Amino acid sequence: MEMLRTPDDRFDGLPDFAYPPNYLDVGVRVHYVDAGPGSAAPVLLMHGEPSWSFVYRSMIPPLVAAGHRVIAIDLVGFGRSDKPASRSDHTYARHVAWMHDALRTLDLRDTTLVCQDWGGLIGLRLVAADAARFARVVAANTALPTGDERVPEAFHRWRDFSQRAPEFAVGNIVSGGCVSDLDAAVVAAYDAPFPDDSYKAGPRQMPLLVPITRDDPEAAANRAAWERLQAWDKPFLCAFSDRDPITRGADRVFRERIPGCAGQPHTTITRAGHFLQEDRGETLATVVIDFIRGSRG
């Protein structure tokens, strides 16, 4: 498998993201931010497509100030993690396996998972497979599709665009998924992991990996994950935004099917698009902090 590695100088001078890089080897090099007291129970922040851990930069300081250890991990193919050069090397199962290996290598326990977009498609598979490592979940603008659901037209448009667009301008794509206007330095930070199109196999391929038909290669695995999640009685919170046409309504599915959702302070974060961490990151951080505090009794 041919791997590309983004030069370090591409990450110099990022706005509000001066965290030293940490790496682990799971057959590919995976980058993560590790902030806050190492003895504290971890909050694992998992990003989506085509962003990277930078998307959590406004959430990390308040979480650390509240006493939490914060791990913000880059999916393989994104951020400072290695990037398989061939689109065929990016499969849903392989991305789950890489992140599961990272979870076990870091030996995270009593973990609060905060997941958005593909961070949920992958992260919820980790919860289903390794439930003992997780204490609670915050799901934000994400889903665990099996091909049985109605697929929003907005997702079909995004999927089509991702394959047909002659340029895949990551920074502009993230900006387009926000309600707020991103300044040029922030847009450039989302472009930083990708010096040219050869680095974008992951972002280009991921929309095709979402199971939207019952016979998708990972539809059965997601159904099996749902079977386990339907027995999950630990706290599970939905914190979706009000202006995301792609995941709108997916929170209802979680709330109806997962026992741990019962009695939780589910919330809708207003004035936020798909990338709610950009639009209302500090608000989402407060939701996470209050949820952890409340669910500990």
Side-chain angles (χ1 to χ4, degrees):
M1 189 183 302
E2 180 188 358
M3 290 290 170
L4 301 177
R5 184 166 293 173
T6 305
D8 287 341
D9 62 8
R10 295 277 299 181
F11 302 99
D12 291 344
L14 297 175
D16 303 316
F17 201 70
Y19 299 101
N22 301 277
Y23 298 101
L24 52 87
D25 186 353
V26 296
V28 298
R29 193 175 78 161
V30 171
H31 165 261
Y32 62 100
V33 171
D34 193 343
S39 59
V43 178
L44 176 61
L45 307 177
M46 295 190 69
H47 70 85
E49 134 90 349
S51 64
W52 60 293
S53 56
F54 176 79
V55 76
Y56 285 107
R57 70 194 179 285
S58 68
M59 294 180 61
I60 296 172
L63 288 166
V64 169
H68 302 294
R69 180 189 180 190
V70 180
I71 306 253
I73 198 162
D74 286 339
L75 300 179
V76 173
F78 298 84
R80 299 183 80 139
S81 291
D82 280 351
K83 297 165 182 68
S86 172
R87 289 178 61 162
S88 64
D89 290 330
H90 293 270
T91 69
Y92 192 162
R94 190 169 277 161
H95 277 279
V96 171
W98 281 322
M99 288 297 104
H100 200 179
D101 285 347
L103 178 73
R104 289 179 293 199
T105 301
L106 290 167
D107 195 25
L108 300 185
R109 300 178 184 275
D110 194 24
T111 306
T112 298
L113 172 66
V114 179
C115 55
Q116 180 260 343
D117 190 80
W118 264 99
L121 272 76
I122 295 169
L124 294 174
R125 287 274 292 271
L126 304 185
V127 172
D130 212 344
R133 292 186 181 274
F134 293 92
R136 62 190 65 78
V137 175
V138 178
N141 290 0
T142 191
L144 189 63
T146 62
D148 301 292
E149 310 85 0
R150 185 189 69 82
V151 180
E153 182 58 34
F155 178 77
H156 284 297
R157 291 196 300 268
W158 155 242
R159 192 172 187 259
D160 183 65
F161 169 84
S162 71
Q163 305 309 300
R164 294 179 180 272
E167 288 189 45
F168 199 80
V170 169
N172 288 339
I173 290 168
V174 174
S175 181
C178 297
V179 171
S180 53
D181 294 325
L182 306 189
D183 66 36
V186 171
V187 171
Y190 285 112
D191 287 327
F194 311 106
D196 59 52
D197 281 350
S198 67
Y199 289 76
K200 298 178 183 178
R204 281 281 197 181
Q205 189 67 11
M206 295 297 264
L208 298 182
L209 302 183
V210 178
I212 62 173
T213 61
R214 286 187 57 82
D215 59 353
D216 181 277
E218 289 301 300
N222 277 9
R223 287 188 201 102
W226 267 113
E227 288 294 323
R228 292 187 285 273
L229 289 172
Q230 287 175 163
W232 172 273
D233 58 3
K234 298 176 189 177
F236 192 111
L237 181 75
C238 295
F240 281 52
S241 69
D242 63 341
R243 301 189 192 181
D244 180 19
I246 290 179
T247 64
R248 182 179 295 126
D251 55 331
R252 183 175 61 252
V253 178
F254 290 126
R255 293 170 67 173
E256 290 174 351
R257 297 180 66 180
I258 298 177
C261 285
Q264 301 301 335
H266 306 290
T267 189
T268 299
I269 295 178
T270 59
R271 303 188 306 280
H274 183 65
F275 298 99
L276 72 171
Q277 311 98 311
E278 271 294 341
D279 287 322
R280 300 294 302 278
E282 292 184 4
T283 299
L284 181 56
T286 298
V287 167
V288 173
I289 292 165
D290 290 347
F291 175 55
I292 294 172
R293 183 182 299 119
S295 62
R296 282 176 173 169

